[in-house]
Amino acid sequence: MIEFKTHGFALLAVLCLAEATASAQTNFPEVEPNSTKAEATPVACMRAGDFLTGTTTGTSLTTGSTLVSTADTFRIQTCALPICIYRHRLVITTTGTPGYQGTIRGLSQIGGVIQQNTDIQMQTTLTTTLGIYNQWYGFGKGEEIYYRISGTGATTSPYAVTMETVPETPVAVPGVFAPGTVTITTENQGHQTDTDLWVYDSNLNAIPFFGNDDTPITLPGGGVNFESTLQATFAPGTYFLALTNYQFGNDQPAAPNDFQTGNVVDFPDAAVNGPEFPAVPLAMDFQITDGVTSSSVPVLKTEPLAIHWFQFTVGAPTPPVGYCFGDSGNCPCGSVGAAGNGCPHSANPAGGHLAGAGSASVSSDSFALTGSGMPNSSALYFQGTTRINNGAGVVFGDGLRCTGGAVTRLGIKINAAGTSTYPIGADVPISVKGAITAGGCIRTYQCWFRNAAPFCNPETFNLTNGLSGDVAAVGSRGESRRAA
């Protein structure tokens, strides 16, 4: 428990000041039979440093067999993390004869219809000086994949497959594009790479049919080039683009005008590049245009299996959204606040309210948080990386604690007429105090205030509603870097 002392009183907290970055490594041994997806060994909450172990000397997929010659299949679920873009990598090692091979499994697609209960190789291991590994991308949402490892007659020593996880920073595309028809294309960009792309919303959810693998172009000298063009209607907001060479796979079926037989993964929130290993480097330059504003972005893929991520804005920046309200039925003691506010307190039965306003850009940050409807007491403004209890919050004092994960104290203010703002005057900007340096991650905010008069629980504090938005809206909008 941490005690914050301000103006003669103590705020008692159980705020987690930083998310745990280290934990004991966990071994997930194979459990036979496990050669098929239906028999896959379950792996719950795999994190960086954890590893799979087992032994296999073959590739057989015999249902019910416990022979060592059968392949080993795992259903891996990653641990929940702050919502960002992550690259996960599974590295194979053994103390014996090399020869183990890993594959990420998926489903086939025919005519744009995903074929359930199929078992397709989405990606096979890449062998480099960095090791023998597979990799995929996720967003901290506990995403799942099927992973299979097979061997040869010589692989009689056990294997270990170790998880690596690193965050990926999306590159900001310059400009703000008008709502309506927006075109994203790799055509006529000075290369002929067979590209594949997909667009995600501000919460890193794949948008149905907002992808393109092939836009076949007949070349002047004959033959066909398979570059990508997505033309779609975009509402105002922040978007993320996944770009790689053939093939990109998530859990979404192809659009009617797209390549209709591309493979997909079994579960949401995972993205894979494979199975081919074209020579790198690969140029994948692209352009985004609304017909008036255009931005061309140079991209050079230097590592097989890599997916490049970009962030762009359509229309006005997406404002932060409120959540965890006092009229949800979750407040302690059966109390109910007003819609859009926190839980009620002795000075205001409607509850405290948190709102955000201003320009959200690292280069010119004027974004500010304003709390209102509070007592004339001290108020702590703080930032987190997750919505607690899926945004419903948990009882904390006379209110709900809604903001969690890696928590940062922004500043303490004294309310006047029940209102205060952070930052104001010489206060450190939120992007600096909150250490916001990259796009693609969710940030959450809340204000925690003292309520000395008895109201509901013995604790003498309460909180406003929560506020959340992606880092593009509170961090790196308008920034531009060269993709490489």
Side-chain angles (χ1 to χ4, degrees), residues 58 102 122 148 173 205 209 229 249 255 289-290 362 398 410 421 429-430 478 482:
M122 283 291 297
R148 180 172 296 149
V173 177
N205 298 312
F209 302 135
T229 295
T289 180
D290 60 12
V362 164
D398 284 342
L410 299 175
T421 297
I430 290 175
R482 181 182 177 88

Side-chain angles (χ1 to χ4, degrees), residues 93-453:
T93 57
T94 180
T95 58
T97 304
Y100 283 116
Q101 183 181 66
T103 57
I104 293 177
R105 314 306 301 178
L107 303 170
S108 61
Q109 183 177 196
I110 300 175
V113 178
I114 297 173
Q115 305 299 295
Q116 301 297 331
N117 302 316
T118 55
D119 188 353
I120 294 295
Q121 176 180 301
M122 283 291 297
Q123 181 194 98
T124 189
T125 43
L126 175 68
T127 302
T128 71
T129 55
L130 299 176
I132 302 171
Y133 63 87
N134 294 88
Q135 72 181 35
W136 78 99
Y137 294 78
F139 310 110
K141 302 177 182 180
E143 55 272 355
E144 296 182 79
I145 62 163
Y146 281 115
Y147 173 76
R148 180 172 296 149
I149 185 165
S150 58
T152 69
T155 56
T156 56
S157 296
Y159 58 78
V161 183
T162 305
M163 175 86 138
E164 297 177 357
T165 297
V166 296
E168 291 278 319
T169 301
V171 174
V173 177
V176 175
F177 305 96
T181 301
V182 175
T183 301
I184 304 172
T185 184
T186 60
E187 297 178 34
N188 303 314
Q189 300 300 306
H191 64 83
Q192 296 181 357
T193 302
D194 185 354
T195 51
D196 201 346
L197 58 84
W198 207 282
V199 174
Y200 290 71
D201 66 19
S202 61
N203 292 312
L204 292 167
N205 298 312
I207 304 175
F209 302 135
F210 271 51
N212 188 261
D213 182 354
D214 286 346
T215 302
I217 303 171
T218 301
L219 302 176
V224 176
N225 190 39
F226 295 99
E227 297 174 346
S228 304
T229 295
L230 171 68
Q231 188 173 80
T233 301
F234 285 78
T238 300
Y239 297 89
F240 295 93
L241 170 67
L243 174 66
T244 188
N245 60 287
Y246 174 83
Q247 89 177 43
F248 172 88
N250 55 21
D251 71 320
Q252 299 291 312
N257 62 343
D258 198 1
F259 180 57
Q260 296 280 290
T261 57
N263 299 329
V264 300
V265 294
D266 293 78
F267 305 104
D269 303 317
V272 178
N273 173 226
E276 298 181 354
F277 300 132
V280 290
L282 277 176
M284 301 191 305
D285 299 7
F286 70 94
Q287 182 187 71
I288 301 181
T289 180
D290 60 12
V292 177
T293 300
S294 298
S295 288
S296 295
V297 181
V299 185
L300 187 65
K301 177 172 178 172
T302 60
E303 179 184 289
L305 306 185
I307 298 172
H308 288 241
W309 297 87
F310 304 87
Q311 173 187 308
F312 63 98
T313 303
V314 175
T318 304
V321 295
Y323 71 100
C324 196
F325 302 123
D327 64 345
S328 63
N330 294 331
C331 291
C333 309
S335 60
V336 178
N341 292 353
C343 296
H345 55 85
S346 60
N348 184 2
H353 180 74
L354 182 65
S359 173
S361 168
V362 164
S363 59
S364 57
D365 182 10
S366 64
F367 185 72
L369 299 167
T370 295
S372 59
M374 300 180 286
N376 290 335
S377 61
S378 294
L380 169 64
Y381 290 84
F382 62 100
Q383 171 187 282
T385 55
T386 61
R387 296 183 179 196
I388 293 177
N389 192 21
N390 294 318
V394 294
V395 170
F396 188 53
D398 284 342
L400 296 171
R401 183 184 165 204
C402 315
T403 292
V407 174
T408 301
R409 294 177 58 188
L410 299 175
I412 294 177
K413 294 294 179 179
I414 302 299
N415 296 323
T419 298
S420 58
T421 297
Y422 183 89
I424 191 170
D427 290 338
V428 178
I430 290 175
S431 61
V432 176
K433 195 66 178 286
I436 299 173
T437 59
C441 297
I442 298 296
R443 293 294 183 267
T444 54
Y445 298 92
Q446 201 169 10
C447 183
W448 176 24
F449 56 88
R450 186 188 184 202
N451 181 32

